[in-house]
Amino acid sequence: MNRIQKIIFIGFFLVLALLVYMEATKPQPVNWFPSYVNTDKIPLGTKVFFDLFEEKLGTQLQIIKESPYVVLEDSTFTGTYFFLNDEVNFDEAEFNKLQEWITKGNTLFVSANYLSYILKDTLKIETQTAWLRDKIETEPMLNLINSALILKEPIHIKRNLNISYFETLDTLKQRVLGVAQPNNDTLKITKPKVNFIEQKLGDGKIILHLQPEVFSNYALLNNDENLAYTQGVLSYIDTSRPVYWDSHYKSGTPLSVSPLKFLLANKHFKWAYYILLIGVLLFVLFEGKRKQRSIPIFEKQKNRTYEYTQTIAGMYLDKKEYSPIVKKQIALFMEYVRTQLRIPTQTTDNEFAKKLAARSGNTLEDTNELLTFMNSLTNLTFHSESHLKELYTKISDFKKYTDGKS
């Protein structure tokens, strides 16, 4: 390596070291993902709440990682089943099991922004999202209505969040426990929207709450009044019996990942890995040219391309599981509609299609075509690779307009 090469090499590494230092010391952006996982310390994780809950209940609090359909096969499973997530979407078989379990004297507690269709249809309820016309952001104000639990002033979560409420109720069967309203720069709830109800079912009951953020790290660490409200909500649970914490319906449920993905997820490991690759590349560029070695002659190997291709093809034939991917693509699109376009997805009727077309920048015809295609896929029990490809293409084309507007 001559003098000029050494200067270039040293200069390159000095610049690289400066970039690594700047990247490593850059503050991490706050992660507002609604995970609701009991070990997450991010704002919308529930480590603080779970630790307090566990401290109060002790061994009475148990974590359940399986589907309710599997868990409720156990006849000794009695108490309160506690569901907390951004969306709790029971299927019909699960909810039938839950209903049977509740009527035997047990309690189902659900706190979520979005409830499953089967649950709402069974209880004859409809939900909607509250918002203010003269404000871009909607910050929830919440309170309880029981005279023993009501707070002097409603709690105010100073964060732009969805405020879901029950638009229709069966007042003969359901009891109102709490209300909500978008913050309108007052200290009172002047136009209450019901967001917390209870309904008896046989010898048991169902408790539904539509603001899961009150259980998050952000809400509980931000204001002591928020903790008082959360305690009031939990007062409707019989803590003398076991409480089962659902870990199955969680947006932030950890997935198994490859070691390389784990390394790249940490910025320090990521840059160490990049530096190693760059160092190897530079070594090859500067040292490889000067130390050329003779290329040994090897006996020509037998062409096994056909056998290899057969093996790979067999693997794909064995795992043609396109249906879960199709369902996940549709679920992710609906999540995109709710969070990015701020349109409720409980019902996908003509009014929903008009709102979606207007806010996404697509034509109503294209919007109806996409929704119709999604509905047809939902009704199918088997999906092919062509279904998956066509769905991906239609969603990508649809979102181009919205991405262009933003």
Side-chain angles (χ1 to χ4, degrees):
M1 184 181 295
N2 58 37
R3 186 168 177 273
I4 295 177
Q5 287 178 326
K6 288 181 179 179
I7 293 173
I8 295 174
F9 191 79
I10 294 172
F12 175 81
F13 265 97
L14 288 176
V15 172
L16 182 61
L18 178 61
L19 291 174
V20 171
Y21 174 77
M22 292 173 63
E23 179 67 21
T25 55
K26 183 176 68 175
Q28 288 278 14
V30 178
N31 182 2
W32 287 99
F33 177 73
S35 83
Y36 298 102
V37 172
N38 62 300
T39 56
D40 275 356
K41 298 179 181 180
I42 60 176
L44 294 183
T46 55
K47 179 171 175 54
V48 173
F49 168 67
F50 184 84
D51 289 348
L52 292 173
F53 209 23
E54 188 175 38
E55 183 180 340
K56 177 179 176 60
L57 299 181
T59 56
Q60 289 283 77
L61 181 62
Q62 300 178 35
I63 297 177
I64 303 299
K65 297 182 179 180
E66 297 176 299
S67 163
Y69 188 86
V70 176
V71 173
L72 296 178
E73 292 290 337
D74 183 1
S75 60
T76 63
F77 190 87
T78 59
T80 299
Y81 209 157
F82 192 93
F83 289 84
L84 172 63
N85 196 39
D86 186 54
E87 178 177 3
V88 175
N89 195 16
F90 301 122
D91 61 35
E92 187 173 356
E94 282 179 335
F95 192 65
N96 288 338
K97 279 270 190 182
L98 281 167
Q99 284 188 89
E100 182 182 346
W101 178 76
I102 294 166
T103 57
K104 295 177 181 178
N106 300 297
T107 300
L108 171 65
F109 181 96
V110 178
S111 182
N113 284 309
Y114 306 101
L115 304 176
S116 62
Y117 169 78
I118 185 66
L119 189 155
K120 293 189 294 183
D121 184 59
T122 302
L123 301 186
K124 307 302 179 186
I125 56 178
E126 290 293 340
T127 59
Q128 190 55 265
T129 302
W131 54 283
L132 297 174
R133 293 185 178 183
D134 57 342
K135 286 192 174 184
I136 298 177
E137 297 186 343
T138 54
E139 298 178 354
M141 295 172 64
L142 310 163
N143 209 338
L144 304 167
I145 65 170
N146 187 302
S147 58
L149 300 173
I150 190 171
L151 304 174
K152 292 181 179 179
E153 294 181 359
I155 67 167
H156 174 201
I157 303 179
K158 298 178 181 179
R159 178 74 186 172
N160 183 28
L161 300 170
N162 282 336
I163 305 175
S164 299
Y165 66 93
F166 295 102
E167 187 176 29
T168 58
L169 292 171
D170 186 344
T171 54
L172 296 177
K173 297 180 180 180
Q174 290 144 10
R175 180 163 67 109
V176 177
L177 305 178
V179 294
Q181 175 187 296
N183 177 45
N184 56 358
D185 299 325
T186 66
L187 298 178
K188 294 183 179 180
I189 295 180
T190 55
K191 297 180 180 179
K193 304 287 187 181
V194 177
N195 77 325
F196 187 24
I197 63 171
E198 175 188 273
Q199 176 172 332
K200 298 289 185 181
L201 193 64
D203 294 330
K205 61 182 178 180
I206 298 176
I207 301 174
L208 301 178
H209 181 265
L210 297 182
Q211 200 72 54
E213 291 87 359
V214 300
F215 298 97
S216 68
N217 299 327
Y218 174 76
L220 295 180
L221 295 176
N222 191 45
N223 192 317
D224 290 340
E225 288 297 317
N226 295 350
L227 179 58
Y229 173 85
T230 303
Q231 288 174 332
V233 172
L234 295 177
S235 66
Y236 291 96
I237 295 176
D238 182 3
T239 54
S240 65
R241 303 178 68 194
V243 176
Y244 302 97
W245 174 279
D246 169 70
S247 189
H248 176 73
Y249 280 106
K250 285 289 184 290
S251 302
T253 302
L255 302 174
S256 59
V257 296
S258 67
L260 181 58
K261 189 171 183 179
F262 172 77
L263 288 175
L264 297 180
N266 183 291
K267 64 179 181 180
H268 304 290
F269 286 150
K270 177 177 70 175
W271 280 102
Y273 177 71
Y274 288 161
I275 291 173
L276 176 63
L277 291 181
I278 294 171
V280 171
L281 178 62
L282 291 174
F283 177 82
V284 171
L285 289 176
F286 289 102
E287 295 293 319
K289 292 180 180 179
R290 298 185 60 190
K291 299 180 180 179
Q292 296 277 347
R293 295 183 179 181
S294 58
I295 301 174
I297 300 174
F298 294 96
E299 182 181 351
K300 186 176 180 181
Q301 295 184 352
K302 184 180 178 181
N303 187 348
R304 297 186 178 274
T305 304
Y306 177 74
E307 290 86 348
Y308 175 75
T309 305
Q310 257 193 333
T311 302
I312 298 299
M315 291 171 63
Y316 279 99
L317 286 172
D318 290 340
K319 292 191 176 183
K320 287 186 176 179
E321 299 176 357
Y322 301 115
S323 292
I325 306 175
V326 168
K327 292 178 181 178
K328 191 63 177 176
Q329 285 281 355
I330 295 174
L332 289 174
F333 176 76
M334 290 302 180
E335 179 70 14
Y336 166 82
V337 172
R338 288 193 295 270
T339 57
Q340 299 298 320
L341 302 182
R342 301 179 66 80
I343 302 174
T345 59
Q346 289 87 343
T347 57
T348 55
D349 53 12
N350 291 335
E351 188 64 26
F352 171 79
K354 291 178 182 178
K355 289 182 180 179
L356 182 56
R359 296 195 186 181
S360 66
N362 287 272
T363 64
L364 182 58
E365 182 182 353
D366 290 342
T367 303
N368 280 323
E369 181 183 348
L370 175 60
L371 294 176
T372 302
F373 182 67
M374 285 184 175
N375 287 333
S376 67
L377 291 183
T378 303
N379 294 328
L380 291 178
T381 57
F382 172 79
H383 301 92
S384 65
E385 184 179 2
S386 61
H387 287 144
L388 179 58
K389 288 181 178 179
E390 186 176 356
L391 175 63
Y392 175 79
T393 302
K394 286 182 179 293
I395 291 177
S396 298
D397 292 341
F398 186 86
K399 291 170 68 175
K400 283 180 183 177
Y401 294 94
T402 306
D403 295 340
K405 288 169 66 179
S406 60

